Each structure stands twice: as structure tokens, then as C-alpha cells.
Amino acid sequence: MTGKAKKVSQSGIVLAQNMLPPDANAAGNVHGGTIMKLIDNAAWTVASRHTGMNAVTASLDRLDFHSPVYIGNLIILRASLNRAGRTSMEIGVRVEAEDLRTGEVRHTASAYLTFVALDEDKKVVPVPELLLETEDDHRRNTEANARYEARKEALKARKKG
């Protein structure tokens, strides 16, 4: 592994951005693709903070939209590292939308992304160990390990089929 081990709290971030007319369709709903890009940017930031290197998206697991986001909403992305393997990292991103007029906050989307770190030659390199501090960190790590194993099994099945 490269670099010094880091705590979940050292890599996690909260990003917020107002949703404006260019982010939405004619009905005022923010495009799913706009939200996807923000999710990817938040996850990239976490991966880069953890490794101190450039990182790239290797996969996206489950992007579930729970409720719409509208023009004028403040979108809040909470991203944290759930798992650090030898060369890959799983980052979870929770998306919320706040109606600034009413103060109502809705959970609008969730996603899990896998990132890898790259060296100067754009080769995948080992990532720093993840230090788990809280019960929530341990729970998320356990769930992430189960998703990792499921992804490995699915990949094996696809290669056989």
C-alpha cells in the first residue's frame, strides 16, 4: 500500500450546489445526468483526498433516484470512503435536495462508486489503508465488503457465461 493510512473522516466531504435552469428540463426537473456528474465529482474528490493521487471511476453500483430535484433546490452531496482494498476504493454518495423556501430536505439519490488511483504513468497503484473509527464506519465497511464480494462473483459468472 502507498501512503499513510487515513481515517474515513479525513477523506469524506460534503458538497452543495444550487440547481439552476441549465441543470433542468422544461418542466423544472433537474436532469439525472446532472446529478450523476455531481455524484462522480464528489466521489472523485473523496478518492483523491484519500490517496493524494489522481483517481478514476472504475464502476458505478446502483444509482437509485428516490425523489426529484427541482430548479432552485440546493443539492447536497455527502460522500465518504466505505472500503479501501489493495488497489480499489468504494465511495458512497448520498444526495439530498433542500427547498430553500420551506427548509424541507429530501433524500433524492444514493450511489456506490468504485475508484482506483493512478500514478504519473496512468498505472493503477495500491491505495492507503482505511482506518475505521465509528460504528457507522464499521457498518459501512462491512456492507461495502459484501458488495465487493458480490461484484467479484458477478464478474466470474459473466466470464464463464
Side-chain angles (χ1 to χ4, degrees):
M1 283 182 224
T2 62
K4 184 179 173 189
K6 287 190 180 175
K7 300 173 188 176
V8 173
S9 60
Q10 290 176 292
S11 300
I13 60 158
V14 177
L15 297 176
Q17 182 172 325
N18 287 316
M19 294 291 94
L20 302 172
D23 301 317
N25 62 25
N29 295 346
V30 173
H31 294 291
T34 299
I35 295 169
M36 289 171 65
K37 181 178 180 192
L38 292 170
I39 288 169
D40 195 49
N41 284 339
W44 173 84
T45 303
V46 170
S48 295
R49 282 184 88 188
H50 184 72
T51 62
M53 305 180 85
N54 185 32
V56 294
T57 311
S59 69
L60 171 69
D61 269 15
R62 304 259 347 181
L63 171 54
D64 295 313
F65 291 100
H66 307 297
S67 65
V69 178
Y70 303 106
I71 294 172
N73 284 170
L74 178 68
I75 194 167
I76 304 157
L77 298 101
R78 302 176 192 283
S80 64
L81 198 62
N82 294 334
R83 178 186 181 280
R86 191 178 73 74
T87 61
S88 67
M89 301 161 278
E90 183 194 272
I91 295 115
V93 182
R94 176 185 170 97
V95 182
E96 298 171 341
E98 180 179 346
D99 184 322
L100 296 174
R101 291 169 295 141
T102 67
E104 176 194 13
V105 177
R106 297 178 321 284
H107 178 198
T108 60
S110 296
Y112 299 107
L113 299 91
T114 300
F115 272 71
V116 295
L118 302 178
D119 65 14
E120 298 79 22
D121 297 321
K122 300 190 180 354
K123 302 287 185 209
V124 174
V125 295
V127 300
E129 182 182 349
L130 181 62
L131 301 175
L132 307 173
E133 301 176 279
T134 68
E135 284 184 33
D136 199 37
D137 292 348
H138 284 278
R139 177 188 58 79
R140 288 176 187 215
N141 183 257
T142 298
E143 293 169 357
N145 284 328
R147 284 187 293 273
Y148 173 75
E149 292 301 325
R151 282 191 297 272
K152 277 190 357 183
E153 290 303 315
L155 184 59
K156 280 185 197 175
R158 280 196 303 273
K159 286 183 178 180
K160 286 182 182 178

